[in-house]
Amino acid sequence: MKLTTELSRFKVKQGKEVVVEQWIEFLEEHMDNVLLTLEDEKMFIETIFSETLDGNTYLYWYSVQGEGGAELENSSHEVDQKHMEYWNDCIDSTYSPVDLEAKLVMIQKKVRSVMN
């Protein structure tokens, strides 16, 4: 099975840092539903990191995903729709996302076999 591994940086709109915290809390509080949507997306790992540089807040998404999963934007899950509302409210669309290049992906065979 082909896996896609990504790490991308997105800029948070100025003044939306508190809303970002609410967003993360929302995802944590609804983790059971979030995990169901990840199943549909064939998203094996998704991690959100945060960093503040020069007064700007950035969110980083790290993911390992199988092929043929559902697209988040087409999801009918309420938790995904709320997630997209937060995204649209908080992520600065004028900033071009930065996709870091994966040089090496190391996943043990026993873990990879479960992903299949």
Side-chain angles (χ1 to χ4, degrees):
M1 164 184 269
K2 180 181 180 250
L3 296 175
T4 301
T5 303
E6 296 179 321
L7 176 59
S8 302
R9 178 177 66 214
F10 302 89
K11 185 176 180 186
V12 173
K13 293 175 185 174
Q14 288 288 328
K16 292 294 182 173
E17 296 79 10
V18 171
V19 180
V20 166
E21 293 305 316
Q22 294 168 354
W23 182 5
I24 299 303
E25 287 175 19
F26 169 81
L27 293 173
E28 288 174 341
E29 290 170 2
H30 295 87
M31 188 56 67
D32 289 345
N33 290 330
V34 168
L35 295 177
L36 288 175
T37 70
L38 294 183
E39 181 76 24
D40 292 347
E41 297 170 20
K42 296 192 179 173
M43 185 70 68
F44 298 112
I45 300 169
E46 186 170 11
T47 307
I48 302 170
F49 294 88
S50 169
E51 178 179 44
T52 302
L53 292 171
D54 300 323
N56 295 303
T57 301
Y58 298 88
L59 296 180
Y60 294 75
W61 259 260
Y62 168 77
S63 63
V64 178
Q65 185 175 25
E67 57 190 335
E71 294 290 327
L72 173 68
E73 294 81 3
N74 299 328
S75 174
S76 61
H77 292 281
E78 287 182 40
V79 70
D80 282 341
Q81 293 169 1
K82 186 68 174 174
H83 177 58
M84 291 306 298
E85 286 178 27
Y86 276 115
W87 178 279
N88 292 329
D89 187 31
C90 295
I91 299 300
D92 184 348
S93 63
T94 65
Y95 175 82
S96 295
V98 177
D99 295 319
L100 285 76
E101 180 182 356
K103 292 290 191 179
L104 178 64
V105 178
M106 297 172 280
I107 301 174
Q108 292 185 26
K109 287 181 183 179
K110 62 184 173 184
V111 174
R112 189 179 286 267
S113 70
V114 174
M115 292 175 169
N116 289 328

